[in-house]
Amino acid sequence: MASVTMTVNGKSVSADVDPRTLLVQFLREHLRLTGTHVGCDTSQCGACVVHVDGKAVKACTTLAVQAEGCDILTIEGLANGSELHPMQAAFREHHGLQCGYCTPGMIMTAVDMVNRLGHDIDEATIRHELEGNICRCTGYHNIVLAVEAGAKAMGGAGMREAAE
Amino acid sequence: MYAFDYHRPTSLRQAAAMLQKTEDAMIVAGGHTLLPTMKQRLAQPSALIDLGGLSELRGIEKKGRAVVIGAMATHADVAASDVVREAIPALAELAVTIGDPAVRHRGTIGGSVANNDPAADYPAACLGLGATIITNRRKIVAEEFFQGMFDTALDEGEIITKVSFPIPAKAAYAKFRNPASRYALVGVFVMKRGSEIRVAVIGAGSSGVYRWSEAEAALAKRFSPKSLDGMSASADDMNSDIHADSEYRAHLVGVMARRAVQAAVAR
């Protein structure tokens, strides 16, 4: 066993884990934060994307122990109480989901995209940046609309991440 | 994954000592090749020695006429580095074509170089720019470092600390991606520095990255895509698989080389 300490959605957590434990397993099975999904388990689909120290990362290809001392933000940490994060609100408004399985990863990737590239991102950029997130329903059209609107809303709200 | 012990050294010296004394231990950097390999049980290290805590390995700086990149710099770090973008824009552009944004936040240059995947991008940049791979023990020039598919000059217990890239006059990278995996089916890095011309090819050759000497000779006469007109590489030593047969890869080497030269000239 190995001990690990990290901050998840603003709360400090410590645990003894088998070193094999993936970050996504740790979040889902140890912390019961099941909003982060496991899709392909091969770092291709992006359903497991969380932010590690402010950067989008595939939690299925990161060991929990590698996140030692890191600040983790998951989909559960995005909303401000009962108020959805602007990117979440945009996904609801534009129906940026069908089955919803890829949605947490899409939203975490979208927020990371805005953090890096700003609020005014065009469709081509959004589609290119979503390269590592797969929607098996192929519902990309509304996802792209949602990201574009969410990006603008994040600018309007003058916020980067609700959890900060 | 098979079980393993996990160590997180706080200095390079400590990492080297752990690697030396632990049988079948492996270094993990970003883990974006190693962890998938371990998940498939194709690797069974007794222990992982994580370089993630060594901030000393992350720096990017211009040193004389070279850009020196720490082994733990991620692809995103390289792509976003003002130093790299100014001195060797081709290298920043290469980094931004690796994987996807989340992968680029974890994958490292040291890991990519140490793995020497025949479809990775960095080996082409190293050989194409005439880089020197710096380890905790010595300096190894790219020609001697890359020794064939997944094979390098690294000895047991040796750790890459930096990669030093001499700044070129002109350089560019062009790759044809496998549409599914997005790995390089063929990638070509071209470079001109004074009278020195290099054309490094990845993804195509059955022994991994190599220099295409015929193209280099043609470009030495005139550094223009026209110099490569009608040229394609020999299909003899090319990879051949379900994604592309050897003749197609040989053809793509010519096409990508011309595109890279075109981009380098236009810079």
Side-chain angles (χ1 to χ4, degrees):
Chain A
M1 298 296 265
S3 69
V4 64
T5 300
M6 64 183 89
T7 304
V8 179
N9 299 332
K11 286 182 199 147
S12 179
V13 293
S14 294
D16 287 325
V17 296
D18 184 323
R20 288 181 279 190
T21 310
L22 299 170
L23 179 58
V24 72
Q25 279 178 300
F26 181 70
L27 294 171
R28 289 178 55 85
E29 295 167 23
H30 292 246
L31 304 182
R32 297 287 170 192
L33 293 170
T34 54
T36 304
H37 292 167
V38 181
C40 69
D41 198 22
T42 55
S43 52
Q44 302 189 51
C45 81
C48 66
V49 168
V50 300
H51 294 188
V52 176
D53 289 339
K55 291 175 178 170
V57 156
K58 292 186 166 171
C60 80
T61 311
T62 306
L63 298 170
V65 286
Q66 285 180 294
E68 170 68 31
C70 292
D71 197 0
I72 313 293
L73 180 67
T74 73
I75 189 75
E76 289 91 344
L78 214 49
N80 184 9
S82 60
E83 186 190 338
L84 290 180
H85 182 279
M87 190 59 77
Q88 292 174 304
F91 267 70
R92 183 172 68 177
E93 176 66 24
H94 292 269
H95 195 60
L97 57 131
Q98 290 183 37
C99 81
Y101 200 86
C102 70
T103 312
M106 287 284 180
I107 290 176
M108 297 312 286
T109 295
V111 172
D112 174 75
M113 195 188 304
V114 178
N115 288 344
R116 282 183 293 112
L117 304 176
H119 308 293
D120 194 19
I121 36 181
D122 63 18
E123 182 193 334
T125 305
I126 293 168
R127 288 185 181 273
H128 183 67
E129 285 283 322
L130 287 178
E131 185 170 26
N133 291 73
I134 295 172
C135 167
R136 295 298 306 259
C137 309
T138 69
Y140 295 103
H141 184 74
N142 282 358
I143 290 170
V144 172
L145 290 179
V147 174
E148 200 172 350
K152 287 197 170 62
M154 281 172 70
M159 60 194 296
R160 283 167 66 85
E161 287 176 5
E164 278 179 7
Chain B
M1 272 187 257
Y2 295 108
F4 56 86
D5 295 327
Y6 175 82
H7 303 291
R8 193 178 174 87
T10 51
S11 72
L12 183 62
R13 183 181 290 250
Q14 195 187 14
M18 284 172 172
L19 188 59
Q20 195 73 35
K21 73 171 190 216
T22 318
E23 203 177 335
D24 295 328
M26 287 181 87
I27 291 286
V28 63
H32 270 50
T33 298
L34 182 56
L35 294 178
T37 309
M38 288 169 66
K39 281 184 183 179
Q40 294 181 71
R41 297 196 163 187
L42 296 173
Q44 190 178 5
S46 65
L48 287 188
I49 296 161
D50 184 359
L51 301 186
L54 306 184
S55 54
E56 68 205 77
L57 297 186
R58 282 198 76 157
I60 299 176
E61 58 177 345
K62 194 174 162 195
K63 241 182 165 174
R65 305 176 76 159
V67 171
V68 182
I69 301 181
M72 288 297 288
T74 64
H75 309 322
D77 290 339
V78 174
S81 160
D82 289 337
V83 173
V84 178
R85 287 158 65 119
E86 191 170 309
I88 320 180
L91 191 58
E93 287 163 13
L94 174 147
V96 90
T97 68
I98 302 172
D100 60 54
V103 168
R104 291 195 287 275
H105 282 148
R106 291 290 299 169
T108 67
I109 186 168
S112 172
V113 169
N115 192 45
N116 192 16
D117 188 304
D121 301 290
Y122 273 125
C126 290
L127 192 59
L129 287 164
T132 299
I133 288 76
I134 301 164
T135 77
N136 55 334
R137 293 180 193 162
R138 57 187 169 139
K139 296 178 176 181
I140 312 167
V141 295
E143 276 85 347
E144 288 165 24
F145 183 86
F146 299 107
Q147 300 197 335
M149 229 179 245
F150 298 109
D151 194 14
T152 69
L154 287 173
D155 288 331
E156 290 281 318
E158 197 166 16
I159 301 172
I160 299 175
T161 56
K162 293 170 190 165
V163 184
S164 175
F165 294 94
I167 296 169
K170 288 178 176 173
Y173 180 62
K175 76 167 157 178
F176 192 92
R177 289 171 143 199
N178 177 318
S181 75
R182 318 300 278 168
Y183 269 91
L185 206 55
V186 168
V188 178
F189 198 102
V190 300
M191 187 280 295
K192 178 175 165 55
R193 188 190 296 114
S195 60
E196 187 187 12
I197 306 277
R198 284 174 178 248
V199 178
V201 180
I202 193 81
S206 55
S207 308
V209 66
Y210 71 95
R211 285 175 69 178
W212 186 16
S213 47
E214 291 87 350
E216 291 179 356
L219 290 168
K221 291 183 189 127
R222 186 170 165 231
F223 193 74
S224 155
K226 281 202 171 62
S227 303
L228 301 178
D229 272 353
M231 280 182 77
S232 62
S234 160
D236 289 349
D237 297 314
M238 293 283 161
N239 290 327
S240 203
D241 54 34
I242 58 163
H243 307 297
D245 66 16
S246 53
E247 283 185 16
Y248 183 46
R249 276 193 164 87
H251 169 73
L252 280 179
V253 169
V255 176
M256 291 303 115
R258 276 189 288 280
R259 284 187 190 172
V261 174
Q262 181 105 49
V265 170
R267 219 181 273 290

